[in-house]
Amino acid sequence: MIPVHIAGVGMTQFGKSSNTLVEIMRAAAVGALAVSKIQDFDAIYIAVMNPEEYTGDANIASHVAEALGFRGIPAVRVETASSAGAAAVHVAYHGVASGYYRHVLVVGGEKMTHLTTSASTRILAEVIDAQERNCGATMPALAAMITARYRKKYRLSESTLAQVLCAVAMKNHANGVHNSCAQFRQVITQEKYFASKFVATPLRLYDCAPMTDGAAAIILTGERTDVAVCGIGQGTGPVSLRERETFTCFPATQIAARRAYQMAGISPREIDCAEVHDAFTPFEIIGTEDLGFFPAGKGMQAAASGQTAADGNLPINASGGLKSRGHPVGASGVAQIVEIVHMLREQSTAKLRRAPHRALAQSIGGLASNNFVTILERSKEVTQLRRSSIAPASRRVELPRADKKPSAEPIESEGVIETFTIVYTTPDGFLPPLALAMIRDRKGARIMAQGEDISHLQIGREVCLHQIAGTFYFTVKSRLKKIRAAMQDFCTGRAIQNDPKTPTEKIEFIAKKTTCGSEKQFHSIINLIAEELRGAIASGKIAPGNRLAEGQLALSLKVGRVPLRDALRRLEAEGYITAVSHDQFMVSQLTLEDAEEYYSIAGSLEGLAARLAVERGSAEELSRLRELHQRLKLAYRGKNLEQYFEANRQFHRFIAQMSRNGRLYQLISEMRRGLRKARLLALQLPQRTDYSMREHDQILDAFLKRNPDLAESTVLKHLANQLTAVKKILQSAEASTMLSFEEFSRSRLP
């Protein structure tokens, strides 16, 4: 292998630029040419992460080559997300070291500041796992979740973590003051750090590198110069967070570092300074551990004690790092190497305690899934490559076969929080604050899920999981208990207010009895709120005409407005309430027209379900239907109206299940929710319960006779009789007078 050296380097001012991406990259290349004796190249490697979405530029390598006037020579774009710059340098290194090329130009750049923060956040999030991205995860969110897990593993208090992250941010901003190319050249104080807003807890604004316009360029050559590339290494890892064995280190960096150290024939102790990828302040700390500078869990202590300051024992990001210099994602990997070249040549404005002999740059791609380590050294006396400079062979990792299908095991409905964050700067399409957590279910499978609420979050807490349209949602179990209690207090207060003459002990209506069970029935705050309000409205606890103010209700229940709004919208769709403004709802009055419309649709659906159930039902299912009918009859004979109502619900639901038509079952479930109040009203008619029991006897008989026509007609007759009872109630004064549970039970059951 031919020794590879670095000739000229160049970098533009980082920050907001009015120039185009190609113009910015050309300026960096011109800067490198201006300080290099080499003016002709065998190839150009271009590093850009996503110009197609950021600027609408495709075929970017050809554009840059043409802008530089180098026509006819190979020009190739290299992309590995935010490590693209380092990747381009490594590819160029191989071209020169192999002898195929003599001189190669590498240019990395990105233009980002013209887009909104949310739009740019969405583009950056495209490099992460699709399932996690669809939950609303962003790079800052995932970095925050890694940080939270790091704090938990090494038993750091929230205040200790915050103080150390603040120290890293202050250090890098102080270093950036001396860097003429840095985007931010102002120191920040502790007060300013803690006054900054959260981006994703526990990360604040000053923990995150800024979106930047900028470019950097390097000339690699087979001719000897004063700086040599003595070691390179690359490592990859899982793209998704959920597939990782650990959240508190980056194995891809560890692999890359081992390869680079072995190639250079040195140990971490022989590095004099380093530029570490600090897109987020905790990544600098984790990076120093992964690179072998400090033991695992000790990077925090090293940063807090000043060991990584510019005048410390091991200066880290003496240039200001990505945090202060800026982070144009395609350029950063090249810019880091430009910075350490300046330090090795003693051309840097960094306030180092001593001139370095050997320096390292570490670059992270995506969520540390494609990482690079580059080691440079002064080479005035170097005449040939070390014997150990040939990169070690890659360790083979057994991968799953490409044709092997992923596990079809469903995610369990309960699990525990492994790590979490609350996102305040969300991508397009997601409202802040957004709770995200990595949940491990009882079988050990992990899944990213959105929280229905942002309170009561803590690593290790048990949660309930449910899935809607492919997205998983979680709710802390203890939170469900508190919301249930608050809901019952709210509904009870409304009932007393609506009828102050009614004793509290008489406000035990059927709807509440049939909807309330253990909290395990509800895996969702939305479902819990909707069900409790639905029961309270159906029973008359919250009377027609009452207003429900979203803000007041949120305060009463101590829940977020997003799940509450979803629950109210669900009730609005079912006809229980009507929107009177964007955040005010009124409890609807059941009308004759509503009842007739509901029963007309319900009759068609349930009649069809009965026919299909007879045709498709198995002997075991018929036996189960007979058991449910027996339970209904026992409740009737025992004069237990609440059990009768619940057994009736289960009987009809099972018939819908027997139809083996998922969409039909879903539609019937939706209609029966809307009919709940009507069914309660129907049971108030004298002797209606007697007729109801006889009708259920006839329905069961039709099923046992395996007669689909008879089954359909008996179900239709049952619903028609129920509608008749509802009409009589609505046409009488009884429609506005709800009886107590005791009176209801005594007068309606024989």
Side-chain angles (χ1 to χ4, degrees), residues 417-437:
I417 296 176
E418 290 216 320
T419 186
F420 71 92
T421 185
I422 300 172
V423 186
Y424 290 93
T425 301
T426 55
D428 290 339
F430 295 87
L431 295 175
L434 173 68
L436 293 175

Side-chain angles (χ1 to χ4, degrees), residues 139-194:
M139 287 300 295
L142 296 177
M145 295 172 80
I146 287 170
T147 307
R149 192 66 197 182
Y150 183 100
R151 182 183 77 80
K152 177 72 172 178
K153 179 175 180 178
Y154 296 112
R155 300 180 180 180
L156 301 169
S157 66
E158 290 184 7
S159 61
T160 298
L161 173 69
Q163 289 292 336
V164 178
L165 297 184
C166 174
V168 173
M170 290 172 61
K171 168 183 73 73
N172 290 351
H173 274 269
N175 292 342
V177 169
H178 308 291
N179 188 340
S180 60
C181 291
Q183 181 172 0
F184 296 126
R185 300 187 63 191
Q186 305 86 25
V187 297
I188 61 169
T189 63
Q190 191 175 68
E191 292 75 20
K192 191 170 185 179
Y193 172 88
F194 283 106

Side-chain angles (χ1 to χ4, degrees), residues 74 101 165 191 211 291 392 424 477 496-497 640 680 703 707:
Y101 295 134
L165 297 184
E191 292 75 20
M211 297 175 188
L291 292 166
Y424 290 93
K477 282 187 176 182
I496 295 172
Q497 181 182 358
N640 192 322
L680 283 168
F703 270 78
N707 188 328

Side-chain angles (χ1 to χ4, degrees), residues 108-400:
E110 209 81 51
K111 184 172 176 62
M112 310 166 72
T113 62
H114 58 291
L115 297 182
T116 63
T117 299
S118 59
S120 192
T121 298
R122 177 191 59 79
I123 294 172
L124 290 171
E126 290 177 356
V127 306
I128 64 180
D129 177 72
Q131 188 274 325
E132 295 170 3
R133 183 173 69 242
N134 292 339
C135 275
T138 60
M139 287 300 295
L142 296 177
M145 295 172 80
I146 287 170
T147 307
R149 192 66 197 182
Y150 183 100
R151 182 183 77 80
K152 177 72 172 178
K153 179 175 180 178
Y154 296 112
R155 300 180 180 180
L156 301 169
S157 66
E158 290 184 7
S159 61
T160 298
L161 173 69
Q163 289 292 336
V164 178
L165 297 184
C166 174
V168 173
M170 290 172 61
K171 168 183 73 73
N172 290 351
H173 274 269
N175 292 342
V177 169
H178 308 291
N179 188 340
S180 60
C181 291
Q183 181 172 0
F184 296 126
R185 300 187 63 191
Q186 305 86 25
V187 297
I188 61 169
T189 63
Q190 191 175 68
E191 292 75 20
K192 191 170 185 179
Y193 172 88
F194 283 106
S196 66
K197 67 177 183 178
F198 280 112
V199 174
T201 57
L203 301 185
R204 298 177 181 271
L205 178 65
Y206 284 113
D207 289 310
C208 307
M211 297 175 188
T212 313
D213 304 334
I218 292 176
I219 298 170
L220 296 182
T221 176
E223 296 181 2
R224 187 162 65 88
T225 71
D226 58 344
V227 176
V229 181
C230 62
I232 62 171
Q234 179 185 4
T236 57
V239 173
S240 68
L241 190 62
R242 68 181 182 276
E243 295 295 335
R244 303 186 181 207
E245 294 180 4
T246 176
F247 295 162
T248 56
C249 66
F250 299 141
T253 294
Q254 296 170 349
I255 294 168
R258 282 197 300 269
R259 290 172 61 85
Y261 290 139
Q262 185 175 347
M263 182 175 174
I266 63 171
S267 71
R269 292 191 299 273
E270 297 174 75
I271 298 296
D272 298 316
C273 63
E275 289 291 305
V276 175
H277 190 105
D278 62 327
F280 308 98
T281 51
F283 280 18
E284 175 180 311
I285 293 165
I286 293 173
T288 59
E289 297 173 3
D290 291 338
L291 292 166
F293 298 148
F294 308 108
K298 300 299 183 181
M300 284 266 181
Q301 183 180 340
S305 64
Q307 294 182 55
T308 58
D311 60 352
N313 295 331
L314 179 59
I316 302 294
N317 291 328
S319 68
L322 282 61
K323 180 68 200 68
S324 178
R325 183 179 60 247
H327 187 24
V329 283
S332 288
V334 183
Q336 290 177 305
I337 297 174
V338 170
E339 298 285 11
I340 62 174
V341 168
H342 285 320
M343 294 175 196
L344 291 170
R345 288 175 173 166
E346 299 185 46
Q347 298 171 346
S348 173
T349 54
K351 303 300 181 181
L352 300 176
R353 187 167 67 180
R354 61 180 181 273
H357 174 74
R358 189 177 291 110
L360 176 150
Q362 175 242 10
S363 185
I364 285 178
L367 189 68
S369 59
N370 205 341
N371 300 356
F372 296 81
V373 171
T374 309
I375 301 174
L376 308 183
E377 68 178 7
R378 295 187 188 187
S379 58
K380 289 182 180 179
E381 299 178 0
V382 174
T383 56
Q384 63 180 8
L385 213 60
R386 293 185 182 87
R387 185 176 297 176
S388 60
S389 290
I390 298 175
S394 299
R395 179 174 60 89
R396 179 177 174 80
V397 178
E398 192 66 33
L399 297 175

